[in-house]
């Protein structure tokens, strides 16, 4: 449809403020946002709707409009409800960049405009989409979001007989499956998310078709991605966008669908994207709280000042909580190999991923993600996780986030999204119960993350428990020192094992694991004690060490851990 057609529809309440010579531009979609930089959700040709919450002063207008123009937006429509009228600086900025600008009367909901555009763009060739959109409009009396993605998925099921789910990049269910019978198992969700991320990173066209056992699924990017059947855009921040987008999983094989049917699903993803953008904007308050606390902690502010800010944060993150909670600090970082990413760094991506990682993927819906406050500084994301007293008592005094289990459920999809050029590393602090402990918790989490970064693998985490052992020291030994140390102690044993088909290395490992006990080690290896004594004697002869001495036992232990 053309921009000109929007002015001909009185129900939309649009007033043209500039760009009268650009009204023949084609509109291919619609997106609602109050983000200062919505570029990751734009694919070109959209009518962007905004309530102007991103604007703090006149200087913000030109950068915002510049971002829209750079991403090929067709026009901007600004609501009058917030400020009473569209600011003059926004009118001037749109005129400077030749971006058509509309004012939306305060009596008109953005959802009404969204439905109209989706219906015009997609519904003209798909009668079933028109039915879905019409029914969705009738059900939107419950609020501007129309009941969220669950309403749209319900309509897909009732009107089109399509079972569908909205998943996050880590495979967490955002919407769908009202009953246990219709829910997707966790391993299936993880597999679908991984397949979607891998296909998108590889540049394959959507929808992505996946076979899981006897069931076929078709995966569609929600809102911000390329249209189904078209190649993804080669954007400079494509890697970051892949790891931060929802997907729509439909239980069907879209391989033989007509273009009208694909357009239908594209329209549905745009409706769902409205809710995604609303939830993204709702995170602003929690992020700001975390940012303020982080700045206070890093600047060495007085504990009383930090405690006062924590008292403000606690009711927001845990409504109804009677007493101040304990807190944990979790630090994450995303690193890419090869050419540098966007100028803004990877902190925003690490922030979005950490918000997702900290939510149990087995828990559907948004409620638990509303209790996470994550800030980012440079390339590092820092989360402040509240731990209510009930959780502490239930967990027997070891509450909250446990590094070893944190990434288990999300490792498969994240590894696929990172492909072969990215890493995610996470560090977790111990729980602290006062403002005085936050600075130490932050440093502890940062140290733990560095330990995780020294490990192999695309997705790694380390916790505070590991900082009290030799595990903290080993990752920071220079590689050449490691190689020389382990070669001096272990290479003679490896060479002997290779030439004689012996098992000196396994024997050494078992002997140390048995704390040097001859009887326990012999039983463990199913050997006679005399045979064990012969092998240990051979180890000592080849290395010049004495396994009865604590120092030599420790050297062998460290060599085995570093090898």
């Amino acid at each position: 449809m053309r921009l000109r057609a929007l002015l001909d529809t009185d129900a939309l309440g649009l007033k043209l403020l500039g760009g009268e010579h650009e009204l023949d531009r084609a509109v291919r979609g619609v997106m609602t946002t109050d983000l200062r930089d919505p570029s990751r959700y734009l694919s070109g040709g959209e009518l962007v709707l905004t309530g102007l919450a991103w604007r703090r002063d006149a200087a913000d207008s030109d950068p915002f409009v510049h971002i829209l123009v750079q991403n090929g937006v067709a026009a901007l429509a600004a609501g009058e409800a917030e400020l009473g009228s569209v600011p003059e600086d926004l009118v001037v900025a749109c005129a400077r960049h030749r971006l058509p600008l509309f004012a939306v009367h305060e009596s008109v909901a953005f959802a009404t405009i969204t439905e109209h555009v989706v219906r015009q763009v997609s519904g003209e060739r798909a009668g079933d989409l028109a039915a879905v959109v019409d029914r969705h409009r009738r059900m939107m009396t419950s609020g501007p979001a129309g009941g969220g993605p669950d309403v749209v998925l319900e309509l897909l099921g009732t009107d089109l007989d399509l079972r569908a789910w909205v998943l996050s990049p880590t495979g967490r269910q955002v919407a769908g499956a009202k009953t246990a019978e219709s829910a997707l198992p966790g391993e299936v969700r993880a597999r679908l998310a991984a397949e979607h991320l891998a296909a998108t990173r590889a540049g394959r066209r959507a929808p992505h078709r996946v076979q899981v056992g006897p069931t076929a699924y078709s995966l569609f990017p929600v809102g911000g991605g390329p249209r189904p059947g078209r190649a993804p855009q080669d954007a400079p921040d494509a890697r970051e966008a892949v790891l931060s987008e929802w997907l729509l999983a439909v239980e069907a094989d879209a391989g033989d669908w007509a273009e009208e049917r694909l357009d239908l699903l594209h329209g549905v993803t745009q409706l769902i994207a409205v809710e995604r953008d609303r939830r993204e904007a709702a995170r602003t308050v929690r992020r700001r709280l975390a940012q303020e606390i982080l700045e206070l902690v890093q600047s060495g502010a007085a504990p009383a000042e930090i405690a006062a800010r924590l008292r403000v944060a606690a009711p927001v993150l845990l409504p109804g909580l009677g007493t101040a909670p304990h807190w944990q600090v979790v630090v994450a970082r995303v690193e890419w190999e090869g050419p540098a990413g966007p100028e803004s760094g990877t902190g925003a991506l690490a922030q979005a991923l950490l918000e997702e990682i900290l939510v149990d993927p087995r828990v559907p819906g948004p409620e638990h993600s509303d209790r996470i406050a994550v800030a980012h500084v440079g390339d590092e994301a820092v989360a402040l996780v509240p731990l209510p007293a009930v959780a502490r008592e239930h967990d027997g005094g070891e509450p909250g986030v446990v590094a070893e289990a944190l990434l288990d459920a999300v490792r498969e999809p994240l590894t696929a999204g990172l492909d072969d050029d990215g890493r995610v590393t996470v560090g977790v602090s111990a729980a602290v119960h006062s403002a005085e402990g936050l600075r130490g918790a932050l440093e502890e989490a940062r140290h733990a993350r560095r330990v995780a970064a020294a490990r192999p693998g695309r997705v790694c985490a380390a916790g505070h428990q590991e900082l009290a052992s030799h595990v903290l020291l080993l990752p920071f030994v220079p590689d050449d020192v490691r190689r020389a140390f382990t070669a001096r102690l272990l290479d003679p044993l490896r060479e002997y094992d290779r030439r004689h088909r012996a098992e000196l290395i396994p024997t050494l490992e078992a002997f140390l694991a048995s704390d040097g006990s001859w009887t326990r080690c012999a039983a463990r290896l199913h050997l006679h004690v005399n045979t064990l004594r012969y092998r240990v004697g051979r180890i000592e002869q080849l290395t010049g060490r004495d396994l009865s001495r604590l120092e030599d036992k420790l050297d062998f232990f460290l060599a085995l851990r570093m090898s």
Side-chain angles (χ1 to χ4, degrees), residues 6-21:
L6 295 174
L7 291 173
D8 297 333
T9 306
D10 294 336
L12 299 184
L14 295 178
K15 179 172 64 176
L16 184 65
L17 300 182
E20 56 271 13
H21 300 300

Side-chain angles (χ1 to χ4, degrees), residues 249-260:
V250 180
E251 190 180 270
D253 187 345
D256 57 354
W257 283 7
E259 185 69 21
E260 290 80 3

Side-chain angles (χ1 to χ4, degrees), residues 340-360:
E343 292 180 3
S344 59
T346 57
L349 174 61
Q351 181 183 49
L353 280 182
L354 189 52
E355 287 170 337
E356 189 63 36
I357 289 170
L358 287 171
V359 181
D360 189 336

